[in-house]
Structure formats: C-alpha cells, structure tokens
Amino acid sequence: MYSQDTGLFHNHQEFTKQDSLRGSITPERAWWDLTYYHLDVNVDPGKKNISGKNTIGYTVLKPNQTLQVDLQPPLKIEKVTQNGKELSFSSEANAHFVQLKKQQKIGSYDEIVVHYSGHPKEAIRAPWDGGFSWKKDENGNPFVATSCQGLGASVWWPNKDHMYDEVDSMKISVTVPKDLMDVSNGRLVGIDTHKNSKTFHWKVNNPINNYGVNVNIGDYVHFDGKYEGDKGTLDLDYYVLRDNLEKAKKQFKQVPKMLKAFEHWFGPYPFYEDGFKLVEVPYLGMEHQSSVTYGNQYKNGYLGRDLSGTGWGLKFDFIIIHESGHEWFANNITNKDIADMWIHESFTAYSESLYLDYHFGKKAASEYVIGTRKNIQNDIPIIGVYDVNHEGSGDMYYKGANMLHTLRQLVEDDEKWRSILRGMNEEFYHQTVTSQQIETYLSEQTGKDLIAFFNQYLRTTQIPVLEYKLKNGTVKFQYSNIVADFDMPLQVVVNDEKKWIFPSSEWKEISVKENIQTFKVDEDFYVETKVLK
Ligand SMILES: [Zn+2]
C-alpha cells in the first residue's frame, strides 16, 4: 500500500502485553508450523455481519498442547473443534489459547476448526485503518471489501496472525447474496448455488501472508487476457464494476507493460500457478496476493496526482504499478516482522522508477525517484521496533527508494544491479525474511561492506552531509551527520568532469589541474551538501 500520511506510522513509546502477544513468536505459536487454511465465511452485507469457520492445518515442530489463535473483538469464537470434538480455550484480548486433548507428535499433521461470527470492525479509512468496507456502487448494489495490513487479518478471520509463518496453500469459500460475486485470491475452482445465495470457492496454491487474503464482493463483470512471460503463459483476470468495464479495458492495458518491466528487473512473476488478477474495490488499493485490488479511479498517477512533481508520475497508474510491484516485494519476499516493512515498501516504491526506466529510460527513472524526495519526513527511523507489531517511519517508501537508487550508483553496473534484484527474488523465493538477511545478501552480492550504509539510512534519521571547501585547484571534503564507519563513495562533477571521491569523517582533498569553476555531487546520491568558506 502507499501512505502519504505519516501520522499512521505511530512511534509508540510504550508497548502492552497485547502488542507482544500479537507481535512476537510466542511459545504457543512457535511449536507448530502453519500448513493449511480453509476459510469458509458467509458475508451478509445487509446486516454487516459475517459468520463461518476457519480450518487451521498445522505440522508439529515440538511438543506442546496449547495453540494460539488470533481473532479481534467484536468478533467472537463460538467453538473450536478437533476431529469433531470440542476443545476448551481461554482468551486474552485478541489472543485465544486452545487446549488440545491429545499429545502432539513431532512431524505429524493435524487440523483444528475455529467457528466464529459477529460484526467485524468497519474500515474507517481503508486500506490504512482497515477492516470491512461496506459500501454501495452507483447502482445501489453492495460493494464490500476487506483490507487489514498492520492491523492484522485477525480483524476479520481467526488465524495465526504473525508475518513469520505463511500458510503453504489455502482455500477460501465465501457465501454472498445470490446477485453478487466474491473475488478472492488464487483461482476460482467452483461456485455452489443455493436458494438465496452463492458460494464462491477460491484456491491459492502458493504460500500467502495473512494480510494478503481478501474478500471482494460486488456486482462484478469479468474480462481476461494472457501474458506470455518468463515462466510461460500467465492468466490475467480482471473483475470490475459493471459500469466501469470499458474504462477498465483501456486502463488495465498497463498490466502487460507492468509485467514486462518487472519480469525484466525482478525475474518471473512469483505466482504463475495462481494467475494474476486486478479487482476493483471501494478504496484506493492494496497488494493482495494474486488479486491486487484497485480503486485509483482509472486515472494515471496517484488519484491523478504525480507524487514526484516531475511529470513522470503521470505516465503510469500508480496503483497498478505500485501494488503489483508488491507481488515481488511483500508477497514473494515477505518480512518476518513488520518492523522490517521496508523490505516491502522501499523496493516497491523503487519499482515505480524501474518501471519508468524500462519504458521511458534511465533519465526518467532518476528524475522520478529524485523528485519523490520531497515526500521524505526523516521523523523516525525506517526500521520499527521488533516483536510488538510496530512499523517504522513512512520514509520506508521514498527514503528507502532513494537509498536503493543510491546503491545502484555504487554498484555502477546496471546489468549487475538487475541480476542482484532478480537473484534476491530467487534466493528468498516464497520466504519470510529479516532485514539482516536482505542487508547481508546485498553486501555479498555487491561485494561491498554495506553495514554502515544500511545503519545510516534504515536505523537513523540522519542524512549524510558532504561538507566541502573549494580553494584554487583543490577540494577539501568530509562527511558530517553520519554513523560510525560511514564512508560511502560519491560521484562528483568538477568542472564538467565526473570523478569518484571517497569521503569519511575526516578531511580529505583532491586536486584538479585548473581552477575550480563548478563542483557538485551527482544528484543520484541521496546526501546533502554544505559548502564551507
Ligand atoms: Zn506499498
């Protein structure tokens, strides 16, 4: 997703027990590996009510008989069963501890079924303050969708609500009033027709993060396409409101262009088995895996605006490009802890400029990403607090993108840079990862020690300042506002000549033959400069 409102990324100073139960790998989570879900839910738009059950399949990693399931009030667990027998459970706010009757054998697979119902939290400002959006289309039909990043999928269905453990595959069955359709993740594998309702069965054949799971209900019409891509034929399916069919057919022509650019830069689309869908929703949009949701009013830019102020942001539909970029960074490579959400948002914000790079050239890409610097706040660090479900600064978008753009300059070899990005999507294919893993990978692949580089940009709000003095034929320079050992090289232009300089916390100097007429740091590097007399 994308947020321009950094107020949504609160910097909590105090965390509660509830934050730890939600945000850490508790002993009641650690002993079992999440293997399968079958979410089977009835949605009643008239009453704003849901009811149903989730079958949770798990594989035992170590002995334990207490299993944590998360579900947020006001939704209520009605009962939990295993092999048809009811199990007891105790609750602490959103965390529910189910007592299993039998001993759990290491390596064995079992299932519990969690029955639940109620009025789920209504989204206040989807997708940021998520939950259920109960809207109507222009013809008065219900138009309903879920969104829950950050808040957690347990806001609308019971699950293991922590990013570290993704389910291997999933079935989603959604029952809706008979004139409506549900679109969820993966492929439509069946429709059951009842007297007044219909059940849509969707199957996801790949690991999926909880917040990616969604239901979208409306008076949808469908059209489709095929994309001949890196792994063969990819099915493209589009679901939009009946009245928007013609607009959608035109605007969604950007999908194959998006796939072309991103398969070039990042490698094959990560979910060929599940296909790719764009689904219209009554909010801006979200990176729901294999059913990317769309509400950008069929306009280019971000609701018609260019976030970079350079004009390049109007060359593409922000939601189609950004939310689809997340298929590689968020859905394929997923953060284990939301504190490391930069892995999702920095790479995806950066993907916007790589889309431009592919279709409009390197200069367009540079101008765009540099233009987005005006959105950087430097309020709190990009990396949040671990184990308490805490996101870092909203700077994970454009400061992160500019950090990666800077790293590209340091690599100084675009083919190598591309192979590193593609390699990342192979190395961490369908995995949940930590920031440390990504940082180590990038250090190894670039052959550069990037420890101080990442510490500077991800863990502080300080932007390096190159201080310099010009005198006759010499430039003296040093860094200020840096962390220990930060010594990133910079490209500078002296009298129209490009040069690398190697600043550190100590004064250094270079000499040029003639008098210095002009001196500037290449703008592609995200640093500040200060000239001293
Ligand atoms: Zn995003």
Side-chain angles (χ1 to χ4, degrees), residues 35-95:
T35 309
Y36 177 71
Y37 284 136
H38 179 193
L39 173 62
D40 182 355
V41 64
N42 183 82
V43 179
D44 184 342
K47 295 191 176 128
K48 297 187 178 179
N49 185 77
I50 63 173
S51 63
K53 58 184 194 278
N54 187 26
T55 302
I56 302 175
Y58 61 92
T59 307
V60 180
L61 302 175
K62 38 187 174 184
N64 197 315
Q65 279 176 246
T66 309
L67 184 150
Q68 179 179 343
V69 173
D70 304 277
L71 182 69
Q72 300 176 29
L75 291 175
K76 273 206 174 96
I77 294 183
E78 285 158 0
K79 64 175 178 179
V80 185
T81 62
Q82 186 159 50
N83 307 322
K85 286 187 197 123
E86 204 162 328
L87 302 173
S88 65
F89 63 92
S90 61
S91 302
E92 212 178 320
N94 305 346

Side-chain angles (χ1 to χ4, degrees), residues 385-428:
V385 182
Y386 292 106
D387 290 330
V388 285
N389 196 45
H390 177 261
E391 292 167 15
S393 168
D395 285 343
M396 69 178 84
Y397 295 85
Y398 292 112
K399 184 177 165 188
N402 275 284
M403 176 186 79
L404 293 171
H405 183 68
T406 301
L407 184 52
R408 177 185 182 172
Q409 315 311 313
L410 297 174
V411 172
E412 222 191 346
D413 177 343
D414 288 346
E415 270 313 294
K416 184 175 176 186
W417 181 233
R418 182 166 84 98
S419 77
I420 291 171
L421 296 171
R422 290 173 67 95
M424 241 180 103
N425 275 281
E426 248 175 67
E427 177 81 11
F428 303 112

